Amino acid sequence: MKRKKIYIAYTGGTIGMKQSSRGYIPAEGYLTETVKNNAEFTREEMPLFDIHEYCPLIDSSDMSPLHWQMIADDIQEKYEQYDGFVVLHGTDTMAYTASALSFMFENLTKPVIVTGSQIPLSQLRSDGQVNLLNAMYLAANYPIAEVSLFFNNKLFRGNRATKAHADGFDAFASPNLQPLAQSGINIQLKEGKLSPYVDQALQITPVVQQPIGILYLYPGISLDIINSIINSNIKALILLSFGVGNAPQQGEFLAALKAASERGVVIINLTQCIQGQVNMGGYATGNALLNSGVLSGYDMTLEACIAKLHYLFSQNLELETVRHLMQDNLRGELTR
């Protein structure tokens, strides 16, 4: 049986760093050399692979929509030559990139798996080898044709993942959707569906940076702070509210939201809770937001919501279309 071939895009991040007197630093060519000299990656059970190291390597804290576009364009350029794709990425903003790619790719028929590590691949006890080996193996042998994120033996839908642990190996969670697959003694498919090969051209929707505000509510938040964010030059506002989508009932606050909505700001209500979803019809406080033009974000992660807003606003759609699509399930990013 012909071995599958995987394209690995190393964008940057801890997985390929090396030790120096100043701590871990990125080093050109170091990851490629480390992987190719590791016999585990070249076993017959493993797919063939090519590694492309980005130059310069990108710290994940510096990631922007410009970089999302760069990664998407890179995969599109190599799409016909490989059976699957692995994107190596720093963990800090990995869920943002996975979410963005999930919206940008149209007609995706091959797996794109984003992964990385908490400890560099070259170091003792690194989680990098397990993450990369599994991502490559899954991309070749369990082709789930969507953008996913693999970490600590779990394959998550990319736009459902969020970084949940700063320094543990179990760094990512998917609070509102079980994993697509679980890697243990056996690989178990859960939400994931294996995709037969379909000869279909990959399309990419270009994404450009958009002005998006985030308002995290807390008890006693002042109207001055609220107004400074709402009245800034933003196209969208993500409201991180209490519980199932509740917020203060101050008349001035609700009036400010309504005025912003009427002048064209798309306002999305997400819960601050790790798990669960917004239901603005459950309490009078949520209903008041609904009447002020605020839209439910249901159970979207913050990362998915930001990426989706970038994706929709980049297409120059009618405002009402954007509002409608923000509440539609486009890539499995929300539950309705």
Side-chain angles (χ1 to χ4, degrees):
M1 189 175 172
K2 188 181 176 185
R3 286 168 77 179
K4 298 283 184 69
K5 195 170 185 183
I6 302 301
Y7 178 74
I8 302 171
Y10 175 42
T11 68
T14 298
I15 191 166
M17 290 185 177
K18 65 185 295 187
Q19 186 70 268
S20 80
S21 58
R22 295 178 286 119
Y24 294 133
I25 58 168
E28 187 180 335
Y30 190 64
L31 176 113
T32 301
E33 180 188 346
T34 304
V35 172
K36 290 190 172 176
N37 289 335
N38 186 324
E40 291 294 302
F41 289 98
T42 55
R43 293 170 62 111
E44 280 193 16
E45 305 96 308
M46 289 296 289
L48 302 171
F49 63 90
D50 290 323
I51 302 176
H52 172 217
E53 295 196 10
Y54 284 25
C55 185
L57 294 169
I58 310 153
D59 188 287
S60 70
S61 298
D62 290 325
M63 277 283 172
S64 71
L66 189 68
H67 297 112
W68 300 342
Q69 189 67 51
M70 186 190 307
I71 297 166
D73 290 341
D74 185 23
I75 290 173
Q76 185 181 40
E77 186 183 319
K78 311 291 193 314
Y79 196 67
E80 298 304 319
Q81 303 164 42
Y82 296 90
D83 299 295
F85 301 85
V86 173
V87 178
L88 295 178
H89 195 290
T91 59
D92 286 348
T93 61
M94 187 184 290
Y96 290 93
T97 296
S99 294
L101 293 176
S102 79
F103 292 113
M104 295 169 74
F105 289 141
E106 315 277 349
N107 305 329
L108 189 63
T109 61
K110 299 177 183 180
V112 176
I113 303 178
V114 187
T115 191
S117 70
Q118 296 282 63
I119 298 176
L121 191 62
S122 60
Q123 298 299 302
L124 182 68
R125 297 181 55 252
S126 172
D127 54 330
Q129 177 166 314
V130 171
N131 288 344
L132 180 52
L133 274 170
N134 275 281
M136 291 168 63
Y137 188 81
L138 286 165
N141 300 294
Y142 291 81
I144 299 170
E146 58 178 280
V147 178
S148 55
L149 187 156
F150 185 87
F151 224 87
N152 198 37
N153 295 317
K154 297 183 188 75
L155 183 72
F156 301 113
R157 175 164 291 153
N159 57 36
R160 290 286 194 149
T162 188
K163 190 168 185 186
H165 201 312
D167 55 9
F169 286 148
D170 204 12
F172 288 87
S174 176
N176 292 304
L177 184 77
Q178 69 173 339
L180 300 177
Q182 176 92 37
S183 173
I185 293 174
N186 299 304
I187 291 172
Q188 290 181 299
L189 287 180
K190 294 180 178 288
E191 287 292 323
K193 303 287 187 291
L194 297 187
S195 311
Y197 175 73
V198 180
D199 190 10
Q200 192 167 276
L202 178 68
Q203 301 294 320
I204 289 178
T205 300
V207 163
V208 293
Q209 193 155 329
Q210 305 292 326
I212 297 167
I214 299 172
L215 179 58
Y216 194 105
L217 297 177
Y218 57 87
I221 186 170
S222 78
L223 201 60
D224 287 343
I225 290 172
I226 291 169
N227 282 329
S228 70
I229 296 171
I230 290 177
N231 296 323
S232 59
N233 184 29
I234 54 174
K235 286 187 178 180
L237 175 70
I238 298 171
L239 195 65
L240 290 164
S241 60
F242 308 122
V244 293
N246 300 314
Q249 292 295 283
Q250 296 166 279
E252 289 179 55
F253 170 58
L254 296 172
L257 290 175
K258 189 169 186 178
S261 179
E262 287 174 349
R263 71 172 184 266
V265 177
V266 176
I267 308 174
I268 307 294
N269 189 6
L270 298 182
T271 175
Q272 295 175 13
C273 298
I274 295 167
Q275 198 165 3
Q277 69 173 273
V278 165
N279 173 16
M280 292 193 291
Y283 293 85
T285 50
N287 254 313
L289 292 177
L290 205 58
N291 294 331
S292 300
V294 177
L295 307 173
S296 175
Y298 299 95
D299 58 353
M300 274 192 290
T301 63
L302 175 61
E303 295 94 329
C305 189
I306 288 172
K308 190 173 180 180
L309 285 165
H310 275 91
Y311 163 72
L312 293 175
F313 277 121
S314 294
Q315 298 177 63
N316 298 315
L317 302 170
E318 294 288 332
L319 187 60
E320 286 313 307
T321 303
V322 173
R323 286 180 167 143
H324 173 76
L325 291 175
M326 279 304 296
Q327 297 182 97
D328 273 2
N329 185 21
L330 303 183
R331 301 284 194 277
E333 74 277 6
L334 59 82
T335 310
R336 286 195 65 174

